[in-house]
Amino acid sequence: TTFCFEAPVRVALGFAHPPLEIMALTKQKVVAKTAKGLFKRTRGGKKAAEQAAKREEEQEEEREEAEAPDHEEEQEGDAEEEGEEEANEEEAVAKAEAATAAARRKELKAMAVGDIKSLTEEGGLEVGNKADMIEALVEHEAKKRADAREREASKRAVVLAKKEELEALSQPDLKERCSEAGIKGVLSKQARVEMLLKQWLENDGVEKGLKRLAREAREKELQALDCGVLRNMCEQANVDPYVTEVIVERLLRRENDVGRFAKPVLDDDLGQEEEQPSGGAKKGKKAKGDNMVDALLADEANRKKELERKKA
């Protein structure tokens, strides 16, 4: 329904614009459209957020791929600089070690013989005259410092190796690793690597890596020794070098090579069958069948014996 007023009446009532009823209808339409659009946005908000996160991850991957060549070139330049720094660092360590040894030697010379003797015994060194004990102590302490530096270098090498292992993973693999570790969110590759490395360190990754390196080095060292030396070492350590499983496996392998487990050969005495009369032909066939059965049974018995021997 449309209401129309005379112009003076509209002016008197303050209708300088369209009537209030028309404005109300228009406003209702606008509110309805706004509510409908708001409902659509709320319903599609989750999906839009997921798409935005996915686009952000793809953009991050593209940026990392674009920066990869420059990063490799920087690594080559850094490798040369690190080589020079390592050489300078070794020289600095050698100078500092020489200064430390000289200062320690001077300090020990000023000590009483009894105190030096006590230090020598605590270090598990041989007791002798003062000069010999001083040199032994200086060398012993220098070795302990060298071992500590070597251990720190090994720790650093283990961490660097783990870092390179994580950096070599593709973005999907790295994302999967993070999901398994409970690391969530839209993160760059470098951030993922850093968080995984931090979690690995918290789980004693360095100590486990050092143990693995020590075991591998020891295994390589033992494999290079002669069998006689290894046998003597087993006797000294009260270790049985003759492992039953290994011995049985090698015996079976040898017996298999010489044909112990080959298919049995059946005797086929055709000459005897031809000489026998017609009535004895059935006897010959029966004998042949008996031989086959006996051979199969014997083979089965041998097989069971070998199985029992393996279980034993």
Side-chain angles (χ1 to χ4, degrees), residues 104-293:
R104 181 56 172 166
R105 188 178 290 106
K106 183 177 180 181
E107 180 183 358
L108 291 172
K109 287 181 178 179
M111 294 175 61
V113 178
D115 295 336
I116 295 175
K117 184 178 179 181
S118 299
L119 292 174
T120 303
E121 292 175 347
E122 290 176 2
L125 305 175
E126 185 178 354
V127 177
N129 57 49
K130 184 176 180 178
D132 293 339
M133 288 189 294
I134 289 174
E135 290 301 320
L137 284 171
V138 170
E139 292 178 1
H140 178 67
E141 292 173 358
K143 186 178 183 304
K144 289 175 65 176
R145 290 192 296 271
D147 292 341
R149 288 193 299 270
E150 184 178 355
R151 181 173 177 80
E152 290 301 319
S154 298
K155 286 183 179 180
R156 180 176 177 79
V158 170
V159 176
L160 286 175
K162 186 63 177 180
K163 180 175 176 289
E164 292 174 358
E165 176 190 338
L166 294 174
E167 288 177 342
L169 295 175
S170 62
Q171 187 73 4
D173 292 340
L174 201 57
K175 185 178 179 181
E176 184 177 356
R177 288 276 192 95
C178 288
S179 298
E180 293 174 354
I183 300 172
K184 300 179 181 179
V186 180
L187 302 170
S188 65
K189 183 173 183 179
Q190 189 63 28
R192 293 183 186 277
V193 170
E194 184 176 353
M195 295 184 73
L196 285 173
L197 193 60
K198 181 180 179 181
Q199 191 178 84
W200 175 78
L201 288 170
E202 292 175 353
N203 293 331
D204 293 332
V206 173
E207 294 301 324
K208 294 177 182 177
L210 290 175
K211 289 181 180 179
R212 178 177 53 81
L213 290 178
R215 179 183 175 82
E216 291 176 354
R218 181 57 175 168
E219 183 177 358
K220 186 177 180 180
E221 179 183 351
L222 292 174
Q223 287 178 348
L225 298 176
D226 183 70
C227 291
V229 177
L230 290 173
R231 191 159 45 245
N232 293 334
M233 292 177 66
C234 287
E235 292 176 357
Q236 293 176 1
N238 197 21
V239 175
D240 185 9
Y242 305 105
V243 182
T244 304
E245 292 79 5
V246 176
I247 295 173
V248 170
E249 180 62 28
R250 291 184 177 179
L251 284 173
L252 291 174
R253 191 184 307 169
R254 177 59 180 167
E255 291 176 352
N256 183 68
D257 293 341
V258 299
R260 178 182 177 87
F261 309 113
K263 184 178 179 180
V265 179
L266 303 178
D267 295 333
D268 192 4
D269 193 359
L270 297 178
Q272 292 181 359
E273 290 183 5
E274 294 177 355
E275 294 177 357
Q276 289 178 351
S278 59
K282 292 184 179 180
K283 279 189 176 181
K285 289 183 180 178
K286 185 177 181 181
K288 181 179 178 180
D290 291 342
N291 289 338
M292 181 183 293
V293 171

